[in-house]
Amino acid sequence: MSTSSTPSRRSLLVGGAATIAAFALSPNPAAHATARRAPSQLSGIRLRPYAADPARVRTWALDTWHSLDAMTVKATGLPADNIPESLAPEDRSGYTSPTNIGGYMWSTIVARELGFLSRGDATARLIRTLKTLYRMEHHEPSGMYYNWYDEATGDAIRSWPTTGAVVHPFVSSVDNGWLGAALMVVSQADRAAAVWARRVFERMRWDAFYNPGDEPGHPAVRPGGLIHGGFFPFDHDRPGGVYRGTHIGGEDVWLTTHHYDTAVSETRITSYLGIITGQIPPRQYFAMWRTFPATCDWSWHEMQPVGVNRTYYGIEVYEGAYTYRGMRIVPGWGGSMFEELMPDVFVPEATWAPSSWGRNHPLHVRAQREHGLIDADYGYWGFSPSSDPFANYREYGVDALGLNPDGYFSDRERTNYDVGFGECRPATNPNPDYGDGVVTPHAAFLAMMHEPDEAFTNLANLQADFDSYGAGGFFDAIAVGSGTVARRYLSLDQAMIMGAVGNVLANNVIRRYFSTPAVEQVLRPVIGIEEFGASPV
């Protein structure tokens, strides 16, 4: 994500339905507080991790799978977007998305590998989902899917289930990216389901989202080209900036004027898919910012970066990094674990790109951990977009790890960390006092791929110290100061847990099925040549 014109993660997930995003998750009357010790009593303990217990992690995964199973309609094989702690079929959200459908499919593979499902049951589930997906309404020229469907029928949603508000179909590049990633996993992981997975995947055109920047009538973008947020396939009174055109021929669509232009973002999965299929050139990967420039005319972003310029595929890249707690880290837009590590569930980025992601992933995890345990003194850590314990949905993160000056904040109070911008902009809050920190279990599960013992300790403490766990696993978020819990399960966040645990306990199962030798031959030479500015100071 990038400039102020770029929608938030949730509004991107709802695509053009940003005007109804507030209704996507109902208020959470079930959230309540539980007593706990003060952070100052906990921080010293939390700095000493104990060894991860695979049996306990497996139990967490089994319960997480239970929530995904409860969200899924047996007749269609489609999961709901979310469900409350009741896990009752009548309490399903009434809508789903391509990301949710993809998450259910890769979670099914993990459930099979961990022994929660037989091979036959997993295959039957995958084929049921894929047959529904194959017949669902979509944008036929690109093979891409709209953002919202009824999980009970597979029908595209034209009016929001709870309010009746009009929903204009929107085709999101990142939403389809996660569906495409899941289809690649299934095509390698299950021989019978692979036939259907390939039928869907092979009609998907990733270049439909690619703006090379040299086409008349299309907005100029950075050299190398960028990925659009998506497009509206039909004419209507569209919210936000759009323009009419197409990158793949045929009838025009209404493309977003915003593009994804930061590398530390979940959206790089779409770039990967385009490069893997040969539909997007490798140089596009280097068109994205690592940080914005360090010059005073860019002093609006979070802090002044340090770095040098390097050239890859003819593209000059400013290899900037932010400085936080003795580390230099390439930031995301908001500073969330989701942005940093979700693509890493599928691509062994640290191995394939040791001088870039191999540096940044461990440093980002360490920074999140130290923010929660030391800097903010919450006693717990792991910050990512999630259900809001106090409302509907909110983007949480570590402000210092995000380019956005308004932050994804780590606490309820939106405490702003501001160290200024060198001599260009004075600091206003370099040593903030943080409030009620909101931690998200799925962030710690993602971190388990890099710090297994520390992540396990954090999750075990969250389970022990709060009423944060139900029949479907960890609830989506915990405000650790007040003990307020968002007693809800989101299929996307549960699927991230399943993917990360599958990699940790089942020999990198998701990475193995996605990052095949053929994928490695195409993608590794691209991402592997880069050297980030990330390092311990």
Side-chain angles (χ1 to χ4, degrees), residues 293-470:
T295 55
C296 287
D297 55 340
W298 284 82
S299 63
W300 59 268
H301 64 100
E302 184 66 41
M303 71 177 74
Q304 191 167 41
V306 293
V308 298
N309 291 321
R310 295 191 175 94
T311 301
Y312 315 93
Y313 285 85
I315 303 295
E316 187 174 276
V317 177
Y318 174 55
E319 293 289 5
Y322 279 0
T323 304
Y324 179 66
R325 295 193 55 79
M327 294 166 276
R328 287 180 178 164
I329 305 171
V330 181
W333 176 242
S336 71
M337 202 78 81
F338 170 84
E339 295 169 289
E340 178 76 30
L341 290 183
M342 191 171 174
D344 188 51
V345 173
F346 295 83
V347 177
E349 293 176 313
T351 301
W352 288 6
S355 296
S356 55
W357 300 113
R359 296 177 182 176
N360 216 58
H361 289 335
L363 287 170
H364 183 100
V365 172
R366 174 186 157 191
Q368 285 229 356
R369 173 169 49 80
E370 291 189 5
H371 176 77
L373 298 184
I374 302 172
D375 199 7
D377 196 25
Y378 296 141
Y380 313 84
W381 57 276
F383 309 94
S384 207
S386 66
S387 292
D388 187 351
F390 307 99
N392 299 327
Y393 188 92
R394 212 181 104 183
E395 291 157 324
Y396 290 98
V398 177
D399 186 22
L401 304 180
L403 293 154
N404 181 2
D406 297 323
Y408 290 179
F409 303 108
S410 65
D411 61 1
R412 180 187 185 184
E413 292 78 5
R414 302 178 187 268
T415 300
N416 184 50
Y417 170 85
D418 181 15
V419 294
F421 202 91
E423 297 180 355
C424 309
R425 172 171 57 80
T428 62
N429 199 18
N431 298 295
D433 292 323
Y434 292 93
D436 195 357
V438 177
V439 300
T440 53
H442 79 262
F445 277 102
L446 289 171
M448 194 177 286
M449 297 186 296
H450 296 274
E451 288 191 354
D453 294 345
E454 292 84 350
F456 174 81
T457 301
N458 186 49
L459 288 161
N461 290 332
L462 286 170
Q463 186 177 19
D465 295 344
F466 302 95
D467 185 12
S468 62
Y469 199 90

Side-chain angles (χ1 to χ4, degrees), residues 50-304:
Y50 40 91
D53 177 0
R56 190 168 179 186
V57 176
R58 179 185 173 86
T59 297
W60 290 339
L62 177 60
D63 291 337
T64 301
W65 170 250
H66 184 203
S67 71
L68 284 162
D69 186 37
M71 280 187 251
T72 303
V73 177
K74 287 183 170 52
T76 62
L78 302 182
D81 179 85
N82 65 85
I83 197 168
E85 65 175 316
S86 69
L87 299 181
E90 61 271 19
D91 292 337
R92 293 177 184 137
S93 60
Y95 51 91
T96 191
S97 72
T99 296
N100 296 331
I101 298 167
Y104 172 69
M105 288 194 290
W106 76 65
S107 297
T108 300
I109 298 298
V110 174
R112 183 195 73 188
E113 295 294 303
L114 295 178
F116 306 158
L117 296 175
S118 68
R119 297 192 72 85
D121 189 6
T123 296
R125 287 169 177 262
L126 291 168
I127 290 176
R128 185 179 304 118
T129 302
L130 288 162
K131 284 185 174 180
T132 300
L133 187 64
Y134 188 74
R135 67 165 174 79
M136 281 163 42
E137 182 184 358
H138 60 281
H139 180 246
E140 293 188 10
S142 67
M144 298 294 174
Y145 286 84
Y146 308 151
N147 259 38
W148 295 119
Y149 295 87
D150 183 335
E151 77 266 21
T153 64
D155 294 339
I157 288 178
R158 295 297 205 281
S159 62
W160 201 246
T162 56
T163 67
V166 173
V167 176
H168 298 290
F170 179 77
V171 179
S172 161
S173 56
V174 65
D175 238 344
N176 280 281
W178 292 119
L179 176 60
L183 292 167
M184 285 186 60
V185 169
V186 173
S187 70
Q188 296 296 319
D190 190 290
R191 183 175 298 177
V195 176
W196 287 97
R198 289 174 184 142
R199 284 179 184 174
V200 178
F201 185 82
E202 287 171 1
R203 67 189 184 188
M204 300 176 92
R205 292 282 305 271
W206 304 103
D207 51 348
F209 301 117
Y210 172 56
N211 182 0
D214 57 3
E215 297 182 15
H218 290 267
V221 293
R222 289 173 53 75
L226 294 172
I227 305 294
H228 290 276
F231 60 82
F232 297 92
F234 308 115
D235 190 11
H236 66 86
D237 185 14
R238 297 163 298 279
V242 293
Y243 69 94
R244 188 170 179 170
T246 177
H247 295 293
I248 59 172
E251 294 185 3
D252 285 349
V253 294
W254 286 262
L255 292 145
T256 61
T257 54
H258 79 266
H259 299 78
Y260 293 119
D261 63 356
T262 54
V264 179
S265 169
E266 70 277 14
T267 61
R268 67 183 178 274
I269 194 66
T270 309
S271 295
Y272 287 166
L273 290 166
I275 293 167
I276 289 165
T277 58
Q279 296 173 12
I280 294 175
R283 65 200 308 263
Q284 190 279 317
Y285 177 74
F286 297 102
M288 297 180 285
W289 296 106
R290 277 51 184 166
T291 68
F292 301 132
T295 55
C296 287
D297 55 340
W298 284 82
S299 63
W300 59 268
H301 64 100
E302 184 66 41
M303 71 177 74
Q304 191 167 41

